[in-house]
Amino acid sequence: MNQTAPVAAALPPRTGQERSYGIDFLRCVAMFMVVVLHIFNRGGAAEALRASTPAYQITFPLRILCAGAVNLFGLISGYVMFNSRFKLRRLLELWFQILITGLALCIVGVLVCPKDTTGQVWLRALMPISQREFWYFSAYVGALVLSPLVNRGLSSMNRTQTLAVLWGSVLTFSVASIWGYCVVGDPFGIKSGYSALWLLVLYIIGACIRKENLLSGVKSRWLWLALAASLAVSLGLDDLHRLAGWTALGSIQLANYVNPLQLVNGVCLLVLFSRLPCRSKGVRNVIRFFAPLSFGVYLIHVHNTCWVWLEGRFRFLTGLPLWQMLPALLGCALAIYLVCSGLDWLRCLAFRLCRISRLCGWLEDRLKTGFLKIIRARPGMGTK
C-alpha cells in the first residue's frame, strides 16, 4: 500500500511549555489533507480526471498541496520535540494503538471481505513495524531514535552553525536529490521521502525553525504569497510536462516528498499555523478533542479492510458539474475523517478503561532498569 501517514499527530505537546493550538490545528488539517489525497489516488478521482480540463486545472494544485502532508508531520515533529526528552512510553502507546486497531479491523475484515483478509494481512497487524504495515511509523521509529542526538547537537550550536546545517540539509537532501531523480536516480537512497533519512531531515528543519525562530520577521501575507507561487509553479511545470513532453517534470516528481516546492509548502504552512492565536475557548476545545485522534484517522482508513473499500470508490465525483465536484470531494473526505475520529475516540475510551497508559509507564520503567543494568555491567564479569 502506498500510504501517507502521520505519527507526529499522535504526540502531545512538550511538557512544561505552552500548548500551541495553531500547531495542533495543523495536525488536524494535515490529516484531512491525507484523506483528500487518498480519495484522489486510491479512490480513483485523479485517474478519472482528463488533463487540460477545468476540473483538472482546479484540482491539481489541491493534490500537490495535499501531497506535502507527510512533510508537515515531519516538520511538526522537529518543531514540537526540539530540546525535549524522549519518552519511551509515548512510543509504546503508539505501538499498542497500532496493534489493537489493526487486529480489530482484521476481525471486521473477516466479516466484511474475508477474501481480502489474508494471512499476510494478519501478520502485518501482529508485526506492524518489521512488516512495514504503516511505512511512516516504521521510518518514524528510526528517526525518533536519533532525535536526542539531533536535539543535543543543535542546542550546542550558534545561529550561524544552525543555519549551515539547515541549508546543507535542504540543498543536499532536497535540491540535489530531486535533481538526481530527474537525471540518474536516487543518489542518497532517500527513496522519494519514504525513509527514516528523510523524516530525520524534516525533523532537523523543523527543529532549526523552532530554535532560531526563523521567518518570524516575515509577514504572513508574504508566506501566503510564497505558498500560492509554489503551487502556481507546480501547475506550470505540470503543463510543460504534458504539452512539451518534459518527462523529467512529470507529476510523480512534483508530488515527490523531497521536491523543494513541497518543502516550501510545508515550511510556509508550519510558520503560518504557528501564528494562529486560537483565543476562543470553544475552538480550543474542538482542537483539543480532534488533534490526538489524527493518528487514529490514518490507521483506520488505510488499513487493508478500508483500503480495499476505497479503491476506485470516488470516480463518480469527476462526473459531477464543476461547481459540485470540489465541495462533494471535500465533503467525502470530511465524512471519512469524522467517522474515523469517532472510532478512534471509542478506542481511547477503551484504553482508559484498560489503563494502557499506566501499563506503558510500567513497561518503560522495567525496560529502562534492564537497559541500565546492561550498560553498567563491568566487562569480564561473566560466569566461568
Side-chain angles (χ1 to χ4, degrees):
M1 288 185 280
N2 183 15
Q3 304 162 352
T4 311
V7 175
L11 296 176
R14 291 177 290 167
T15 58
Q17 297 191 4
E18 183 180 355
R19 187 184 189 109
S20 175
Y21 286 93
I23 294 298
D24 279 347
F25 183 45
L26 181 59
R27 302 174 198 264
C28 301
V29 172
M31 178 47 55
F32 179 75
M33 291 163 61
V34 169
V35 177
V36 172
L37 184 66
H38 287 164
I39 286 180
F40 271 117
N41 295 341
R42 182 68 177 179
E47 185 180 355
L49 285 172
R50 291 182 299 171
S52 301
T53 61
Y56 181 93
Q57 296 291 326
I58 290 176
T59 58
F60 183 78
L62 176 62
R63 290 160 53 193
I64 292 298
L65 181 64
C66 292
V70 166
N71 289 351
L72 282 174
F73 288 113
L75 292 169
I76 290 173
S77 295
Y79 187 87
V80 172
M81 298 178 63
F82 169 68
N83 206 25
S84 64
R85 292 183 58 188
F86 166 70
K87 292 185 178 180
L88 181 60
R89 66 182 300 171
R90 292 179 177 179
L91 195 58
L92 291 173
E93 289 175 3
L94 290 177
W95 184 85
F96 271 108
Q97 180 180 356
I98 292 173
L99 178 67
I100 299 304
T101 301
L103 292 177
L105 289 174
C106 280
I107 295 174
V108 174
V110 170
L111 301 176
V112 177
C113 48
K115 293 188 295 183
D116 296 308
T117 310
T118 62
Q120 184 64 28
V121 173
W122 283 97
L123 179 62
R124 293 202 306 266
L126 290 169
M127 305 174 66
I129 298 179
S130 59
Q131 293 293 317
R132 285 178 63 88
E133 168 67 353
F134 304 101
W135 74 264
Y136 190 100
F137 184 71
S138 299
Y140 181 79
V141 170
L144 196 62
V145 169
L146 298 176
S147 63
L149 179 63
V150 173
N151 292 344
R152 179 62 63 88
L154 290 177
S155 297
S156 65
M157 294 180 180
N158 57 37
R159 183 177 178 86
T160 300
Q161 293 170 328
T162 301
L163 292 178
V165 170
L166 173 63
W167 282 110
S169 299
V170 171
L171 293 175
T172 301
F173 296 106
S174 180
V175 177
S177 286
I178 203 67
W179 174 256
Y181 277 109
C182 294
V183 180
V184 296
D186 187 1
F188 302 109
I190 210 164
K191 299 178 182 178
S192 298
Y194 293 86
S195 65
L197 176 58
W198 178 242
L199 294 188
L200 187 62
V201 171
L202 292 172
Y203 185 99
I204 291 172
I205 295 172
C208 289
I209 293 173
R210 183 60 178 266
K211 176 179 180 287
E212 301 297 340
N213 200 19
L214 298 179
L215 301 177
S216 59
V218 180
K219 293 183 178 180
S220 296
R221 65 170 176 266
W222 292 112
L223 293 174
W224 285 115
L225 182 61
L227 180 62
S230 175
L231 296 176
V233 169
S234 297
L235 182 59
L237 291 176
D238 181 67
D239 288 338
L240 287 175
H241 161 67
R242 291 183 293 102
L243 300 178
W246 290 13
T247 56
L249 298 177
S251 298
I252 185 60
Q253 299 302 331
L254 296 175
N256 195 315
Y257 298 148
V258 304
N259 192 304
L261 294 174
Q262 292 287 358
L263 201 53
V264 168
N265 297 344
V267 170
C268 288
L269 288 173
L270 178 70
V271 177
L272 286 167
F273 275 80
S274 70
R275 297 176 178 178
L276 293 179
C278 294
R279 297 186 181 92
S280 171
K281 185 177 180 180
V283 172
R284 289 188 175 192
N285 289 335
V286 171
I287 293 174
R288 190 184 293 114
F289 176 81
F290 280 102
L293 305 177
S294 296
F295 186 45
V297 174
Y298 164 70
L299 294 179
I300 294 170
H301 91 275
V302 301
H303 186 273
N304 183 76
T305 301
C306 301
W307 201 246
V308 170
W309 177 84
L310 276 175
E311 186 175 8
R313 182 71 58 176
F314 296 97
R315 289 176 176 269
F316 76 93
L317 293 173
T318 60
L320 298 176
L322 185 58
W323 63 274
Q324 293 180 352
M325 184 190 70
L326 194 57
L329 187 148
L330 296 177
C332 290
L334 181 61
I336 293 174
Y337 182 91
L338 293 176
V339 170
C340 293
S341 294
L343 294 175
D344 194 58
W345 179 73
L346 295 176
R347 190 272 313 165
C348 289
L349 291 180
F351 271 34
R352 291 195 193 106
L353 291 175
C354 297
R355 299 183 178 181
I356 296 298
S357 180
R358 180 176 295 184
L359 172 62
C360 291
W362 180 84
L363 289 173
E364 180 184 37
D365 293 338
R366 300 286 78 75
L367 291 172
K368 281 185 177 179
T369 301
F371 184 70
L372 288 175
K373 286 182 179 179
I374 293 174
I375 63 177
R376 289 174 179 173
R378 296 180 182 178
M381 294 297 289
T383 57
K384 294 183 180 180

